[in-house]
């Protein structure tokens, strides 16, 4: 008889309606049970129980029966109080906990829009120019489970908590992208809008067609005359196998950056009349049909296992489970833009998205509109650079003698600092070397910078104009750093302990050389006259990078704020908040890394060099056909960034008598008796030196890069017989690799 009762109990439990995820969590917490205890009792993994409580997954037999029985007993012991506030997991700080996503019933495709609208409303608590970052999603299992329960094509299930809400544009209800994975034999698309879509497509052409017809993925344009972002699909390894694609590329395919033309998937696309861009079917493939009017038909694929997400910039994003990867890319897309390739490519595309090259003209006499250049943009056609701005091998230099090496009077060489000097006897008596790093330094260098928009004009013996962007041939060898103007006053400094602001290696110029406008303007600011011999100037100019900088700045600040590092912290609080900030939410820390790489990479793309392509010196390469191939803009940003840093160094030296030991790009190392930047930065009553270094998270302010001992620095230099070894390169963790002593 007891066996019959047990069978009846099991039958009832199998048909029992489970409470919502938030209630499941409440009942467990009310009985002081941990997730681990429940997982052990039910013989499942901890992540499985977390998934049930977040709504990411639903329990299945036989675990469902036991879980339902447990919840039923707990509900009898702890009935729900309608007036009680929802419980939060005590293990998560309230600062980093998002509002729970409500449980959603399985919906038909036609009902999905209503659910997505509800998700977007509940996930968007306060209006802001940058989307609020969600809390970290519970880690789902990486392995595919088997089950007799199948999911109907075209339905949706609840997504994990902690995914950014979709946009308000009804065309893109489910966000900009989705991560496609396989679970229990079913193809699922993990979206950033709070839902997971069931995907009926059985081939890549069908997947593309489904994405454009039903998935409602994409992102609205960032500027009036621009274009909406195409939907992005991220294919996991399981999805690659399902759709007949290799999990990894062969060495030959990796070097080519694409699959061979004869691959069966490419043949499927051809038969379905889909096209690939010139980059082919690679880590960032674009599949499209020619646009009809204003209607675009294009889907982009991202394949992490083919190294689409470079670990140098995206960390471990490529190994994250689908829900967490959707969260990382979704936050990046909502705050920066939908990735279009590497972070460098995306940085460049962001410039174009904010300043589209063309716009519709006013109606003509017949009432028709035409395409015209969008004011403030670079236009749709590339312009030639000045000969001095061209990198070696450029077509404008093809008439130079073979093996000719251009000197400073022939070539513009604006690069970031790589400078170091031996320590003085007084500095050797101090105990520590402290490195400080400028936040988003090149972004800050772009802010408010006037750059050329059109082609350069050659001018002989010009009068220097600090507001006119261009390249200037001028002799700055007479500038003496031992006596310079700081503000309106002349000050005496030890010039031998300072790098020259005019060369990346900090060496004093010996004669005429080409410089970008910010460099020449700084020489005049230091109190010295400048008389250019020649110039290539751009009369068509503007603040092209302002919107780009603001977008990336806001993305960076918002993400750091989500990690507990606010923009209004006192110096000591800021240093404390920066300690271990990445561990608070590793996924958001990945977003921060990607944002910083977008700044540097986007500027680097302005002077992209040949990448194979069978190129030979003197011949054009592919990047030259872009209007965004602008080495002069890159040079101006680097020039201004280097000058901004030197200005702070001079202010600091004039006020404190302290000089840097080493500088690498945006990192400066000083000798100090204390381990903290506060031990040598001249704060008075919490206020920094005006015009000097200031601790904070805003771009242009500084953070603590690392501290090592003076004995470590001297020991490393002695070990490698390099008295001017750049210690800024190794100050972060003290690990010394790839030493070049100049021999």
């Amino acid at each position: 008889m007891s066996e019959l009762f047990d069978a009846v109990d099991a039958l009832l439990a199998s048909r029992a309606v489970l409470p919502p995820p938030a209630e499941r969590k409440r009942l467990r917490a009310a009985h002081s049970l941990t997730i681990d205890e429940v997982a052990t009792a039910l013989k499942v993994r901890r992540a499985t129980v977390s998934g049930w409580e977040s709504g990411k997954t639903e329990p299945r037999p036989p675990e469902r029966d036991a879980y339902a029985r447990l919840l039923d007993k707990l509900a009898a012991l702890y009935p729900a109080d309608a007036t009680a506030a929802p419980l939060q997991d005590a293990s998560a700080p309230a600062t980093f906990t998002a509002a729970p996503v409500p449980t959603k019933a399985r919906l038909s495709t036609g009902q999905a829009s209503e659910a997505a609208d509800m998700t977007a409303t509940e996930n968007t608590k306060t209006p802001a120019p940058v989307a609020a970052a969600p809390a970290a999603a519970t880690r789902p299992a990486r392995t595919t489970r088997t089950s007799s329960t199948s999911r109907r094509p075209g339905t949706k299930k609840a997504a994990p908590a902690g995914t950014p809400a979709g946009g308000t544009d009804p065309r893109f209800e489910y966000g900009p992208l989705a991560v496609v994975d396989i679970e229990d034999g079913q193809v699922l698309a993990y979206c950033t809008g709070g839902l997971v879509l069931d995907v009926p497509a059985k081939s890549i052409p069908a997947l593309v067609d489904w994405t454009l017809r039903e998935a409602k993925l994409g992102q609205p344009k960032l500027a009036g005359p621009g274009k909406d972002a195409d939907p992005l699909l991220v294919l996991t390894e399981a999805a690659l196998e399902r759709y007949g694609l290799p999990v990894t590329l062969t060495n030959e395919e990796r070097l080519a950056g694409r699959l061979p033309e004869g691959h069966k998937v490419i043949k499927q696309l051809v038969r379905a009349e889909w096209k690939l861009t010139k980059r082919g079917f690679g880590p960032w493939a674009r599949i499209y049909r020619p646009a009809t009017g204003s209607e675009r038909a294009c889907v982009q694929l991202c394949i992490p296992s083919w190294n689409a997400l470079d670990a140098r910039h995206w960390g471990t994003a490529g190994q994250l489970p689908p829900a967490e990867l959707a969260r990382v890319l979704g936050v990046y897309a909502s705050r920066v833009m939908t990735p279009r390739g590497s972070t460098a490519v995306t940085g460049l595309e962001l410039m174009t998205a904010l300043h589209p090259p063309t716009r519709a003209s006013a109606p003509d006499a017949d009432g028709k509109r035409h395409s015209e250049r969008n004011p403030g943009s670079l236009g749709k056609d590339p312009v030639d650079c000045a000969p001095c701005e061209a990198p070696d091998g450029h077509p404008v230099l093809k008439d130079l003698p073979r093996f000719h090496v251009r000197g400073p009077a022939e070539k513009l060489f604006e690069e970031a600092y790589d400078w170091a000097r031996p320590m003085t006897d007084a500095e050797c008596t101090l105990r520590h070397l402290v490195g400080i790093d400028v936040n988003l330094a090149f972004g800050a260098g772009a802010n408010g910078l006037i750059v050329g928009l059109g082609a350069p004009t050659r001018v002989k013996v010009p009068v220097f104009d600090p507001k006119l962007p261009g390249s200037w041939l001028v002799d700055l060898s007479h500038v003496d750093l031992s006596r310079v103007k700081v503000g309106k006053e002349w000050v005496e400094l030890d010039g031998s302990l300072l790098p020259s602001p005019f060369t990346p290696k900090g060496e004093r110029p010996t004669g005429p050389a080409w410089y970008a406008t910010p460099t020449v303007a700084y020489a005049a600011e230091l109190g010295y006259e400048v008389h250019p011999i020649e110039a290539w100037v751009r009369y068509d100019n503007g603040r092209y990078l302002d919107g780009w900088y603001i977008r990336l700045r806001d993305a960076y600040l918002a993400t750091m704020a989500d990690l507990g590092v606010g923009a209004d912290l006192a110096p000591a609080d800021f240093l404390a908040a920066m300690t271990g900030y990445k561990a608070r939410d590793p996924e958001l820390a990945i977003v921060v890394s990607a944002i910083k790489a977008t700044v540097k990479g986007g500027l680097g793309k302005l002077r992209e060099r040949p990448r194979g392509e069978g190129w030979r010196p003197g011949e054009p390469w592919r990047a030259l056909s872009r209007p965004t191939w602008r080495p002069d803009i890159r040079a101006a940003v680097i020039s201004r960034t280097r000058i901004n840093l030197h200005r702070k160094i001079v202010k600091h030296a004039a006020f404190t008598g302290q000089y840097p030991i080493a500088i690498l790009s945006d990192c400066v190392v000083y000798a100090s008796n204390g381990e903290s930047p506060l031990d040598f930065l001249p704060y008075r009553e919490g206020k920094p030196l005006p015009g000097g270094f200031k601790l904070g998270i805003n771009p242009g302010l500084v953070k603590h890069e690392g501290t090592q001992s003076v004995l470590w620095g001297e020991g490393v230099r002695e070990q490698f017989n390099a008295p001017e070894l750049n210690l800024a390169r190794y100050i972060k963790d003290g690990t010394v690799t790839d030493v070049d002593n100049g021999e």
Side-chain angles (χ1 to χ4, degrees):
M1 185 65 68
S2 62
E3 293 180 358
L4 292 177
F5 288 163
D6 291 341
V8 170
D9 289 344
L11 186 63
L12 292 173
S14 67
R15 296 294 188 270
V17 178
L18 296 177
E23 178 65 6
R24 302 170 196 174
K25 185 175 183 178
R26 185 194 72 82
L27 291 172
R28 173 182 60 78
H31 201 63
S32 300
L33 295 174
T34 66
I35 292 179
D36 289 323
E37 288 174 330
V38 174
T40 300
L42 299 179
K43 297 181 180 180
V44 296
R45 298 187 311 114
R46 185 184 191 280
T48 302
V49 178
S50 296
W52 296 344
E53 291 189 355
S54 68
K56 180 186 74 69
T57 58
E58 290 295 318
R60 297 193 176 110
E63 292 85 2
R64 187 186 191 282
D65 304 349
Y67 190 48
R69 187 190 299 267
L70 171 65
L71 295 176
D72 184 58
K73 298 291 186 183
L74 292 175
L77 293 173
Y78 308 101
D81 182 358
T83 63
L87 294 176
Q88 284 188 346
D89 191 342
S91 63
T95 306
F96 309 113
T97 305
V101 175
T103 304
K104 299 176 180 62
R106 292 173 57 171
L107 305 173
S108 67
T109 304
Q111 295 170 318
S113 298
E114 182 179 350
D117 288 341
M118 179 178 67
T119 305
T121 302
E122 293 174 356
N123 278 300
T124 309
K125 295 297 181 184
T126 55
V130 201
T138 304
R139 287 185 178 271
R142 284 287 290 172
T143 55
T144 302
R145 296 172 297 172
T146 57
S147 172
S148 59
T149 305
S150 61
R151 194 173 287 109
R152 297 191 306 274
T155 64
K156 301 174 185 291
K157 69 171 185 176
T163 52
T168 57
D169 192 319
R171 298 172 300 159
F172 312 125
E173 289 179 288
Y174 308 141
L177 55 90
V179 180
V180 180
D181 192 34
I182 311 298
E183 181 180 332
D184 299 332
Q186 174 64 42
V187 184
L188 301 179
Y190 287 78
C191 302
T192 61
L195 294 174
V196 176
L197 310 182
D198 283 342
V199 182
K202 299 185 182 300
S203 67
I204 289 294
L207 178 64
V208 173
D209 190 67
W210 170 83
T211 302
L212 293 171
R213 292 178 183 272
E214 300 182 43
K216 295 188 177 181
L217 297 175
Q219 190 175 39
K221 57 189 177 184
L222 297 179
K227 298 176 182 177
D228 297 326
D230 298 318
L232 173 65
L233 297 180
V234 185
L235 304 183
T236 65
E237 294 181 6
L240 292 174
E241 293 179 341
R242 168 63 65 92
Y243 288 119
L245 292 165
V247 172
T248 58
L249 297 177
T250 65
N251 287 337
E252 184 178 351
E253 292 166 347
R254 181 175 52 81
L255 291 173
R258 65 186 73 190
L259 292 178
E261 294 296 324
H263 193 277
K264 63 179 181 179
V265 171
I266 297 180
K267 291 181 178 179
Q268 292 173 2
L269 291 169
V270 172
R271 286 196 297 269
E273 299 183 345
W274 289 105
K275 297 180 180 294
L276 291 165
T277 58
K278 290 182 180 180
R279 72 171 69 174
F281 204 119
W284 290 93
R286 298 188 71 80
I287 304 172
Y288 73 100
R289 286 187 179 127
T292 304
S294 61
E295 293 296 322
R296 289 170 57 83
C298 182
V299 173
Q300 179 158 312
L301 303 183
C302 167
I303 305 178
S305 65
W306 295 4
N307 200 35
L309 301 175
D310 192 327
R312 293 172 299 175
H313 309 139
W314 289 100
T316 59
Q319 286 75 52
L320 290 176
E324 296 184 9
L325 179 55
R327 178 189 181 231
V328 168
L329 294 177
V331 172
Y332 179 89
S334 66
R335 293 181 172 174
V336 180
M337 70 179 300
T338 304
R340 295 288 303 273
S342 65
T343 51
V345 169
T346 304
L348 196 69
E349 291 289 339
L350 180 60
M351 297 179 195
T352 303
L354 293 169
H355 287 285
T358 60
R359 68 175 184 181
S361 67
D364 60 16
D366 297 327
K368 295 182 179 179
R369 296 179 183 269
H370 306 277
S371 176
E372 65 179 14
R373 179 184 171 185
N374 184 30
S377 75
L378 299 180
K380 64 178 182 178
D381 299 317
V383 297
D384 288 333
C385 61
C388 63
E389 297 164 351
D392 293 336
H394 191 280
V396 302
L397 306 174
K398 63 182 179 181
D399 294 331
L400 288 177
R402 193 178 182 186
F403 305 122
H404 175 74
V405 178
R406 294 185 294 162
E410 299 173 280
K411 180 180 179 180
L412 176 69
F413 192 65
E414 294 283 9
E415 298 295 340
Y417 266 129
D418 185 355
W419 169 87
R421 62 169 176 82
M423 282 186 271
T424 64
D425 292 342
E427 288 165 342
C428 288
T429 64
L430 303 177
R431 300 178 59 190
H432 302 286
L433 297 175
V434 184
I436 52 177
D437 181 78
V438 182
N439 299 311
L440 230 60
F442 294 99
N447 183 30
L449 180 64
I450 300 175
V451 299
L453 302 178
T457 300
R458 187 179 186 182
V459 182
K460 288 286 189 178
V461 196
V463 175
F464 177 68
D465 182 352
K467 296 182 179 179
L468 185 60
S471 301
W472 309 78
L473 180 61
V474 58
D475 188 352
L476 300 180
S477 60
H478 62 290
V479 178
D480 183 5
L481 295 181
S482 298
R483 186 172 184 272
V484 297
K485 261 190 176 181
V486 177
K488 296 182 179 181
E489 298 181 358
W490 287 91
V491 297
E492 303 289 337
L493 301 172
D494 188 341
S496 65
L497 301 180
L498 285 171
S500 167
F502 310 127
T503 61
K505 291 292 185 180
E507 300 164 345
R508 186 169 178 170
T510 57
W514 285 99
Y515 303 102
T517 298
T519 303
V520 185
Y522 185 58
E525 179 185 325
L526 292 176
Y528 292 86
E529 294 185 355
V530 292
H531 300 288
I533 303 167
E534 183 183 351
W536 289 88
V537 297
R538 288 171 168 81
Y539 296 109
D540 179 11
N541 54 66
R543 294 168 60 157
Y544 174 73
L545 295 174
D546 274 13
W548 180 82
Y549 160 74
I550 291 170
R551 178 97 178 160
L552 291 166
R553 176 204 65 191
D554 291 349
Y556 176 69
L557 292 180
T559 311
M560 290 301 296
D562 290 332
L563 287 166
V565 186
D568 55 354
L569 295 175
D573 295 335
F574 166 70
L575 293 174
M578 286 294 294
T579 302
Y581 76 92
K582 294 181 179 180
R584 295 176 194 142
D585 192 326
E587 282 78 42
L588 285 186
I590 292 174
V591 177
V592 171
S593 173
I595 292 171
K596 293 193 289 188
T598 303
V599 175
K600 287 188 175 181
L603 294 171
K605 276 282 185 180
L606 291 169
R607 200 192 67 159
E608 183 177 357
R609 302 288 285 127
R611 304 176 65 184
E613 309 167 10
W615 174 79
R616 293 182 179 180
E619 296 178 352
W621 57 92
R622 185 183 305 172
L624 298 187
S625 63
R626 297 191 324 246
T628 49
W629 192 84
R630 294 295 301 271
D632 57 299
I633 296 179
R634 172 187 176 274
V637 174
I638 293 176
S639 164
R640 191 163 187 246
T641 303
R642 192 181 68 246
I643 294 308
N644 285 346
L645 183 60
H646 195 275
R647 185 182 290 113
K648 290 181 171 63
I649 290 170
V650 168
K651 289 257 186 178
H652 185 84
F655 188 80
T656 67
Q658 298 170 335
Y659 296 84
I661 302 296
I663 309 173
L664 182 68
S665 187
D666 46 11
C667 175
V668 188
V669 176
Y670 282 93
S672 169
N673 264 328
E675 299 183 14
S676 167
L678 287 174
D679 292 317
F680 71 91
L681 293 182
Y683 273 83
R684 289 184 175 179
E685 299 179 354
K687 295 182 179 180
L689 172 68
F693 294 109
K694 178 182 178 181
L695 289 167
I697 199 59
N698 278 294
L701 306 190
V702 299
K703 61 181 180 292
H704 184 203
E705 179 69 4
T707 296
Q708 304 296 330
S709 69
V710 168
L711 290 177
W712 164 86
E714 288 295 89
V716 167
R717 285 178 165 179
E718 182 177 350
Q719 176 185 353
F720 293 100
N721 191 28
E724 295 185 5
L725 179 69
N726 195 333
L727 299 175
R729 192 183 305 275
Y730 317 108
I731 195 70
K732 190 166 189 174
D733 59 11
T735 303
V736 182
T737 57
D738 300 326
V739 171
D740 180 5
N741 61 9
E743 296 182 0

